[in-house]
Amino acid sequence: MTLKPLLFIGILILGIGASFPPTMSLTKPLKETRNVYMAPVHDSTKIVVAGSWIHIAQDINISQYFDYMDSLINVYDSVVPYPLSEHLLAHANPWIIDTLANTDYYRLQARDSFVYDQRKLLVLRLSDSIIIPDSVTASNILNSFKKTNLDINIPEFKLRIYQGSSLLFTFPVRVGKNTKKYLAMIDKTTDLRTKSGIGKVVRHEKDPDFYNPVNHERFYTTKRDDNKTTLMPQIPWIETEINGIRNGQMIHPTTNPETLGKASSNGCIGTRESDAWIIYYYAPLETRITIRYHLEFINGKGENVKLKDIYGYVY
């Protein structure tokens, strides 16, 4: 299989307790399930206009979800007076984002539900409907995207999502280790510290392959914090361009949230699985990103906060 460019230096989910050989393959390979739901999902004799409800024609699981959303866009983009996109559809139907966030392994485990293969979890059901937003709703959503930006403060281990001056979300993250290491994937020794700067989202990887960057071996399973093994989940990764450079520094979920709040990755910014879905849907292409290294700041309570200098930048 051809390696996907720039993704693999960022496979940082996997540096701590997550690099295990596959114990089994998917019972039905993903390639066999693609395109079975790609037929038009509406009565083609009817004129579909913005504001219409689209009834789901069959159950859609996570392995099918992105192709299904693409099929909706292909069908309806030409009949609505605005550029239709997956991100716009999800914000017009926010229950979809909530449903995806609730596929988080640890959220399900808290409800005594063990899931080995996250890709089989249902996102859209036969009884569901999706609204194609009207022009006013679509315009408001598109304008909100223009005002949205991601802010990461490395030594605080926090990622925030702002819309203008309004803080929407604050999520815990993990960041790069304070060390250098030889990575076989790029055949050189590299500084693993997360790079700071200003940039934007340049790519979404919706179905990543997983490789250990140290030895360049591909793997399919992960050992969770509860010592149970599962298949790697399908959750989008976000590629960033910081200070004009695409250095493989990704924002992506970790299967081991015990590492959040630590400098424990190979450079990428790791999040909870549930948070990764939310971040993805608030970070369409061109979304602005600031990655900073601020040790002192005033918090929301007016208190002066001083953080540990995890990278030794201040002497």
Side-chain angles (χ1 to χ4, degrees):
M1 178 178 291
T2 302
L3 300 184
K4 298 177 183 177
L6 295 178
L7 172 61
F8 305 110
I9 189 175
I11 308 282
L12 315 177
I13 232 171
L14 321 170
I16 299 182
S19 183
F20 284 74
T23 56
M24 63 175 288
S25 61
L26 293 174
T27 55
K28 186 174 185 181
L30 182 59
K31 64 180 179 182
E32 295 181 11
T33 66
R34 289 183 185 273
N35 300 321
V36 297
Y37 41 82
M38 297 300 287
V41 293
H42 67 292
D43 183 344
S44 59
T45 65
K46 297 179 181 179
I47 298 176
V48 178
V49 296
S52 296
W53 285 93
I54 307 304
H55 298 292
I56 306 301
Q58 67 181 89
D59 288 341
I60 301 295
N61 61 30
I62 288 176
S63 71
Q64 302 164 325
Y65 169 73
F66 292 110
D67 283 345
Y68 182 80
M69 294 294 276
D70 287 344
S71 76
L72 290 182
I73 294 163
N74 289 337
V75 170
Y76 298 117
D77 184 53
S78 62
V79 297
V80 294
Y82 53 78
L84 189 61
S85 69
E86 177 199 333
H87 284 70
L88 195 158
L89 274 178
H91 278 266
N93 300 271
W95 61 270
I96 296 177
I97 303 175
D98 293 338
T99 300
L100 289 164
N102 282 324
T103 65
D104 183 306
Y105 171 85
Y106 295 95
R107 286 191 180 186
L108 293 172
Q109 275 291 79
R111 298 198 292 266
D112 295 322
S113 178
F114 171 76
V115 174
Y116 177 75
D117 185 358
Q118 171 257 16
R119 293 170 181 257
K120 294 180 179 179
L121 294 175
L122 293 183
V123 181
L124 308 175
R125 298 175 182 271
L126 184 60
S127 59
D128 292 332
S129 296
I130 293 178
I131 193 169
I132 305 296
D134 58 40
S135 297
V136 173
T137 301
S139 178
N140 289 337
I141 294 171
L142 292 171
N143 286 335
S144 72
F145 289 160
K146 295 177 183 179
K147 299 176 183 177
T148 301
N149 66 286
L150 308 184
D151 174 83
I152 298 106
N153 188 17
I154 294 171
E156 191 184 5
F157 305 106
K158 290 287 173 44
L159 182 152
R160 295 176 173 87
I161 301 177
Y162 286 93
Q163 209 164 80
S165 59
S166 299
L167 175 62
L168 301 183
F169 301 98
T170 301
F171 299 126
V173 299
R174 71 182 191 184
V175 298
K177 301 172 187 175
N178 184 25
T179 189
K180 295 181 179 180
K181 179 185 288 187
Y182 173 79
L183 302 180
M185 187 164 288
I186 58 174
D187 193 26
K188 69 177 182 179
T189 299
T190 187
D191 185 347
L192 300 183
R193 294 178 295 186
T194 298
K195 310 298 186 294
S196 60
I198 297 174
K200 61 184 178 180
V201 172
V202 293
R203 188 171 67 91
H204 298 129
E205 181 54 60
K206 299 178 185 179
D207 190 9
D209 295 328
F210 300 97
Y211 288 81
N212 186 326
V214 177
N215 57 21
H216 202 187
E217 291 183 0
R218 187 175 181 180
F219 60 94
Y220 302 85
T221 63
T222 178
K223 188 174 183 180
R224 301 282 184 163
D225 289 340
D226 58 8
N227 289 319
K228 295 181 179 180
T229 297
T230 71
L231 291 178
M232 293 298 297
Q234 182 181 357
I235 303 173
W237 290 36
I238 298 170
E239 183 179 353
T240 65
E241 179 182 281
I242 303 300
N243 297 334
I245 300 173
R246 300 188 187 190
N247 54 23
Q249 189 164 283
M250 313 286 284
I251 301 172
H252 66 74
T254 173
T255 59
N256 301 104
E258 285 185 353
T259 62
L260 298 175
K262 300 175 183 177
S264 56
S265 80
N266 292 326
C268 290
I269 296 158
T271 74
R272 290 181 294 221
E273 292 178 358
S274 55
D275 298 343
W277 283 111
I278 297 170
I279 296 165
Y280 167 69
Y281 276 115
Y282 278 85
L285 296 179
E286 300 297 318
T287 297
R288 293 167 295 165
I289 299 177
T290 300
I291 303 177
R292 53 195 175 89
Y293 195 90
H294 288 176
L295 296 174
E296 295 190 34
F297 57 92
I298 305 297
N299 65 15
K301 299 178 181 180
E303 303 166 334
N304 186 49
V305 177
K306 294 184 178 181
L307 302 173
K308 180 180 178 181
D309 182 14
I310 59 172
Y311 288 166
Y313 286 152
V314 179
Y315 299 96

